[in-house]
Amino acid sequence: MTELLIVDDEVHVVDRLYSTIDWASVGVEQVYKAFSGEEALELLGQTSIDIVLTDIQMPGITGLQLIQTINRRWPKTKCILLSGYSDFNYAKEAILQGTEDYLLKPVTEADLLATVSRVKEKLQREWEEVVSRQRLSYTLKENLPLLRGNLLSDLLQGRSMSSSSLRDKMHMLELSDFHEQAFAIMMIRLESQFLEYDISRLSLMEYAIGNMVEELFGERFDSWHAKDAHDYLVFVMKKKGESETPDKEETAWLERTASVLQSAVNNYLKGKISILVSTWGTFPQDLNGLYNRSLSAFRKKIGNELELFMRLGDEPVPTELTALQRLYEPPTLNHLLEAARWDDVGEKLGVIFDEMEAKYAESQEHLLEVYFSIASAYAYIAHKNGRQLHQLIGRDYDRMTEGIPFRSVNQLRDWSMRALRCMKEDMDQERKDSRVSLINEIRSFIEQNLASDVSLQSIADHVYLHPVYVSKIYKLETGDNLSDYVNQVRMDKAAYLLKHGQDKIYEIATQLGYQRPHSFNHAFKKHYGMTPQEYRDQYA
């Protein structure tokens, strides 16, 4: 959507250009008005303006000074000068300030639209260059380490994605093919002096450790690493070019080299680290489980001890109660509800209950774990929206006050989905009612203030909302641009006054907010195809 701002201290000029030019014909969907340089800068600070059409000579901030400020603060915004001053010095200064064009008053509609169209096309070409494949590829390469780390962090936290999607992402990030390959996790905790560093210096040390890993292991192993939520450096290690699980000798080499890394960090970076090397798993299905086992071993077996080295053994994992993976993997229920992603919430609940039925169908412990998590998320989003949960889910709230409310997975599934539908319907209706009320308030303000100021900014100020939000909500709810509605109200009232009243045409123009009758005559003829006097004569 292209947005244009008209700036001139002569109100009638702004109104005429605002209401009589067919801006939509060149793809301009929103037009704003400002009557001084100061007002223009305030509007630019609030709204994303693509093109500014400004007069040169204005009290206070001149057009040239305005353009100079725009070029400094909003360099993507294009400026066109419109002035009655034909002095070459102005044009020369305009060129020096980076103005796109310099038009002399009076300018024809055709010339003005042609200029705006040309500037709009130039702006589009510049943005196409920004998002060009070549430039995006360059930017991607610059950010590969960060993007690789983010992807691994998501996988460690249990984010699920299809095999094809994961392969595509890894290929895009130029990672080795880990799929169905044997891997081990090497987890590193920075200790002692490292804990005293500021963020900048600590980041350099983490980067240095990553380089050391590449130097020590790179000949025989591919590595992929990230910093996890607990500030551990987690390296996924895979034997180069082989899919079989490494033998004892290769495993021993990996562990010896990890010990060498520990000594090198102490000697050359002057800091202590503890290292845990896991057993082997198959990527990606074993990644989250092996990571969680490594975390647990770090917590239980290393604890607060410093500069330890440990291998996660091959002993079987003891049978014990564990939390449901799907319940806690990102995105969480709270995040999805906050974003009003109702379909995604339904899918999230579905996979949670599928896991429950597959693994813990008879476990009352897990049933309660899921129930408390879902109920807490529902209560959280209700309260965050200023509502009480019992108002949203009605009778289903009673089940929450009955002690142990559910004794089977199916009972909890039915309640959760039914309560979710109730909350969605209530919030959808509340949002719809709020928007209808907003549209009515906007229209009432316009009808009552036609003779004064019905600019987008004045409307937004009246309803205490951002101008961009007001404009977009009005378009979304009505299908019309707000400026078109203002013009339609003016023309409807003009036709009524001409047909049923005795006021002179210049008086009607004033009542409709036009500073000059000429601007009113021009707008009326453009709308009805005849002058106000010709329209009145039809009903005389």
Side-chain angles (χ1 to χ4, degrees):
M1 181 175 76
T2 301
E3 302 188 353
L4 179 140
L5 170 63
I6 303 170
V7 189
D8 200 311
D9 60 313
E10 295 185 77
V11 176
H12 70 280
V13 172
V14 175
D15 286 340
R16 182 174 63 82
L17 295 176
Y18 177 86
S19 60
T20 64
I21 302 297
D22 186 11
W23 297 111
S25 67
V26 292
V28 175
E29 299 184 31
Q30 184 64 60
V31 181
Y32 301 89
K33 300 188 291 185
F35 304 105
S36 68
E38 291 82 0
E39 187 177 346
L41 290 175
E42 181 178 353
L43 192 57
L44 282 158
Q46 299 173 344
T47 308
S48 177
I49 303 293
D50 300 295
I51 302 172
V52 174
L53 178 64
T54 179
D55 187 28
I56 285 183
Q57 292 292 352
M58 296 184 294
I61 298 176
T62 68
L64 293 177
Q65 291 171 332
L66 174 62
I67 290 171
Q68 187 178 25
T69 302
I70 290 172
N71 288 340
R72 186 178 70 252
R73 295 175 61 184
W74 303 284
K76 287 295 181 185
T77 299
K78 303 298 182 185
C79 299
I80 301 170
L81 272 173
L82 181 64
S83 176
Y85 293 83
S86 57
D87 191 321
F88 175 72
N89 288 329
Y90 284 112
K92 183 172 66 175
E93 181 66 19
I95 293 171
L96 292 175
Q97 294 296 347
T99 305
E100 295 300 321
D101 212 331
Y102 180 77
L103 300 174
L104 296 178
K105 298 177 182 177
V107 62
T108 66
E109 179 173 347
D111 287 344
L112 181 55
L113 289 178
T115 299
V116 170
S117 179
R118 179 177 56 77
V119 172
K120 179 174 174 288
E121 289 173 1
K122 180 179 180 181
L123 187 63
Q124 183 174 348
R125 288 195 301 271
E126 290 180 359
W127 278 112
E128 287 173 350
E129 173 62 24
V130 169
V131 298
S132 68
R133 181 179 296 273
Q134 181 178 2
R135 185 160 182 175
L136 289 177
S137 297
Y138 177 77
T139 304
L140 178 63
K141 287 184 181 296
E142 279 192 322
N143 292 278
L144 275 179
L146 175 62
L147 295 172
R148 289 169 175 170
N150 289 342
L151 177 58
L152 180 55
S153 293
D154 285 345
L155 296 174
L156 294 174
Q157 292 300 315
R159 183 183 291 274
S160 59
M161 60 183 71
S162 68
S163 177
S164 60
S165 175
L166 179 56
R167 281 181 181 272
D168 288 344
K169 288 185 177 182
M170 293 181 69
H171 177 72
M172 180 185 69
L173 298 177
E174 300 177 7
L175 287 162
S176 299
D177 186 6
F178 279 70
H179 278 76
E180 302 306 321
Q181 302 283 312
F183 76 95
I185 285 177
M186 181 170 69
M187 186 175 288
I188 298 174
R189 183 179 68 187
L190 277 66
E191 301 163 345
S192 64
Q193 292 94 329
F194 290 129
L195 303 179
E196 301 172 5
Y197 293 166
D198 58 29
I199 293 177
S200 177
R201 191 177 180 192
L202 183 61
S203 296
L204 287 175
M205 294 298 103
E206 292 167 350
Y207 182 76
I209 291 172
N211 286 344
M212 284 180 158
V213 170
E214 180 64 30
E215 180 70 22
L216 290 171
F217 295 85
E219 184 177 346
R220 299 178 67 170
F221 281 85
D222 291 320
S223 64
W224 176 19
H225 77 279
K227 185 175 181 177
D228 74 359
H230 309 284
D231 290 334
Y232 295 158
L233 298 181
V234 182
F235 290 81
V236 178
M237 312 295 293
K238 176 186 77 71
K239 187 91 166 60
K240 283 185 178 293
E242 295 185 15
S243 58
E244 296 82 7
T245 300
D247 57 26
K248 290 184 178 180
E249 180 183 348
E250 291 165 331
T251 301
W253 184 90
L254 176 68
E255 293 171 1
R256 284 197 306 272
T257 308
S259 181
V260 172
L261 171 67
Q262 192 175 39
S263 297
V265 169
N266 194 2
N267 292 334
Y268 299 109
L269 298 183
K270 307 304 180 184
K272 298 182 185 299
I273 59 173
S274 287
I275 299 180
L276 179 144
V277 177
S278 77
T279 186
W280 298 98
T282 302
F283 186 90
Q285 53 264 38
D286 295 333
L287 182 61
N288 179 253
L290 205 51
Y291 168 69
N292 286 329
R293 284 183 61 199
S294 299
L295 273 179
S296 178
F298 235 117
R299 183 176 64 251
K300 294 177 180 178
K301 299 183 179 181
I302 295 181
N304 293 325
E305 299 295 331
L306 302 180
E307 207 173 13
L308 294 184
F309 179 88
M310 176 185 170
R311 180 177 184 274
L312 186 64
D314 293 313
E315 69 276 1
V317 179
T319 302
E320 59 181 12
L321 283 179
T322 58
L324 286 99
Q325 177 182 337
R326 297 296 194 180
L327 183 61
Y328 300 105
E329 70 181 16
T332 64
L333 284 172
N334 280 2
H335 291 154
L336 293 174
L337 287 166
E338 281 186 301
R341 292 165 54 183
W342 302 107
D343 292 342
D344 292 336
V345 175
E347 291 182 10
K348 175 83 171 180
L349 291 173
V351 298
I352 290 171
F353 290 120
D354 288 346
E355 184 182 10
M356 274 284 294
E357 289 180 333
K359 298 180 179 179
Y360 310 106
E362 305 302 321
S363 172
Q364 284 294 309
E365 288 272 354
H366 287 88
L367 195 66
L368 284 174
E369 181 183 0
V370 174
Y371 164 69
F372 287 133
S373 296
I374 294 173
S376 174
Y378 285 178
Y380 166 78
I381 199 62
H383 297 164
K384 190 164 187 178
N385 284 280
R387 306 294 297 278
Q388 295 189 43
L389 187 57
H390 73 82
Q391 295 175 318
L392 301 181
I393 65 175
R395 293 176 58 186
D396 279 313
Y397 181 80
D398 297 338
R399 298 292 300 274
M400 301 175 66
T401 62
E402 295 175 355
I404 301 177
F406 307 103
R407 297 190 179 276
S408 73
V409 175
N410 283 335
Q411 285 182 341
L412 180 54
R413 183 197 294 265
D414 291 343
W415 174 85
S416 300
M417 294 299 189
R418 192 167 56 248
L420 178 65
R421 286 194 297 272
C422 289
M423 288 196 298
K424 179 182 183 301
E425 290 169 1
D426 185 273
M427 292 184 182
D428 284 348
Q429 186 61 47
E430 183 181 18
R431 183 173 63 254
K432 184 177 180 180
D433 292 345
S434 174
R435 288 184 177 180
V436 169
S437 176
L438 174 63
I439 299 302
N440 291 336
E441 187 173 357
I442 288 171
R443 288 177 170 174
S444 175
F445 176 82
I446 291 169
E447 290 165 3
Q448 294 173 23
N449 293 274
L450 279 179
S452 53
D453 181 13
V454 286
S455 65
L456 177 60
Q457 186 63 54
S458 66
I459 294 169
D461 290 343
H462 176 72
V463 296
Y464 302 103
L465 293 170
H466 194 281
V468 173
Y469 178 80
V470 170
S471 176
K472 290 185 176 179
I473 289 298
Y474 191 89
K475 174 82 172 182
L476 182 67
E477 290 298 308
T478 68
D480 298 322
N481 290 323
L482 186 53
S483 58
D484 293 338
Y485 177 75
V486 172
N487 187 58
Q488 185 64 52
V489 171
R490 278 187 166 134
M491 293 300 102
D492 289 346
K493 186 170 183 179
Y496 179 85
L497 293 174
L498 288 167
K499 189 187 299 185
H500 301 286
Q502 300 300 319
D503 291 340
K504 299 183 182 303
I505 290 175
Y506 75 85
E507 293 173 333
I508 294 175
T510 300
Q511 292 175 48
L512 299 177
Y514 292 96
Q515 298 298 312
R516 292 188 180 182
H518 175 73
S519 298
F520 169 58
N521 290 342
H522 192 86
F524 191 91
K525 185 172 183 179
K526 189 175 184 67
H527 188 81
Y528 286 104
M530 63 185 76
T531 67
Q533 187 60 54
E534 290 170 342
Y535 186 88
R536 170 171 272 176
D537 291 342
Q538 289 185 143
Y539 300 97

